[in-house]
Amino acid sequence: MEEGSSACLVLSQEVPKYLGDEYRSWHQKLVDVALDCDGLLEVNLLEPVSNIQNEWVQIFQFDTVAHLETFLGNNLLKDLIAFLEKKFSVEVVSQVIAGADQLTVPVTIVISKKVKPEFFREYMQWQKEIDKALKKYPGFLGAGLTKPIKGVQEEWVAIFRFDSNKHLDSWLNSDEHRRLVKRGEGFFEDVKIKRIGHGFEDWFSRARGRAQDTAPSQWKMAMLILLMLYPIVMVITMWLLPLVESWPFATTNFFINLLIVASLTWVAMPLITRAFNIWLSDKSGQLTKINTIGTLIIIVLYGVSIMLVAWLSSLNLK
């Protein structure tokens, strides 16, 4: 495992859903600890989903394994986890996963396994058969396998991703899956399976989890949307719009708006919210250093965008 690869910590706890408000407040305390650590990319809180996922799942994604290790070693984090277990009388199950971007899909199965040393070769061959079989099933989006990380996790972690719960269940309930699982039962000392519900769809919920009360300030969201929307609209207007001018007016406008929304949702906003994660997280409303510097940077970027678009327009006219 390369130290430079991304990694995340997944915490899960079976807490009754009616205690959700209280659990979210404690999740926020964990988020505050994560925000004080270097390399934090994203935080998500997934609530229980009936008949799919019984636990609350907290996901803390870091840019490197080293930064995640620093977070794991934080004494305040350890104290908060111990308090959660005592308060709700339920164990907090933790799992470290490398390549954390693999979790950002509609539905994911995370399987951690302690492989018996004498069955290492058999396990690797068995895992290849699993991967080969998965590719035949509808809705399969990809799979990943991470090795144990010395001092962090002892297990091998396999991740399977599907576009829907229906397609995932089709694989899990298949005769082929049952046959492969039965054949591999003797390879492991311990197996833990985690099913993580749906994808992360909101532009800004990534900064501090999914709870509504953690959303960034509206003026900050507006500033970032404008920062991304302006260059996208101008580029489409200058280079793409002339190519579709002959189309019917309604069709042209629908197509242009479709491109703008898609660009914002799946490209621009995920990138910019990660880049300004710390700035978005400061909701104090005060003239803090973080708020001031972040706002000034965005204003400068506005000017750069305007000058760049003006320059490109002049080239386009020549």
Side-chain angles (χ1 to χ4, degrees), residues 155-221:
E155 303 92 349
W156 289 78
V157 179
I159 303 173
F160 306 133
R161 306 181 299 284
F162 281 81
D163 63 357
S164 68
N165 286 297
K166 179 181 178 180
H167 285 146
L168 174 59
D169 288 336
S170 177
W171 156 249
L172 294 177
N173 296 325
S174 67
D175 292 338
E176 187 170 21
H177 176 258
R178 293 192 184 96
R179 175 181 60 79
L180 287 167
V181 168
K182 185 173 182 61
R183 188 159 67 82
E185 286 177 348
F187 300 161
F188 312 113
E189 296 177 4
D190 184 38
V191 178
K192 296 177 182 177
I193 301 176
K194 179 69 57 188
R195 183 169 185 158
I196 298 177
H198 301 285
F200 317 135
E201 299 169 351
D202 186 78
W203 286 345
F204 293 97
S205 64
R206 298 171 181 267
R208 289 173 67 87
R210 295 188 67 182
Q212 187 175 2
D213 60 353
T214 63
S217 303
Q218 288 189 351
W219 66 272
K220 290 186 175 182
M221 292 189 284

Side-chain angles (χ1 to χ4, degrees), residues 55 72 103-104 130-131 169 179 193 208 214 220 276:
E55 306 94 340
L72 291 171
L103 292 178
T104 56
I130 290 280
D131 293 342
D169 288 336
R179 175 181 60 79
I193 301 176
R208 289 173 67 87
T214 63
K220 290 186 175 182
F276 284 88

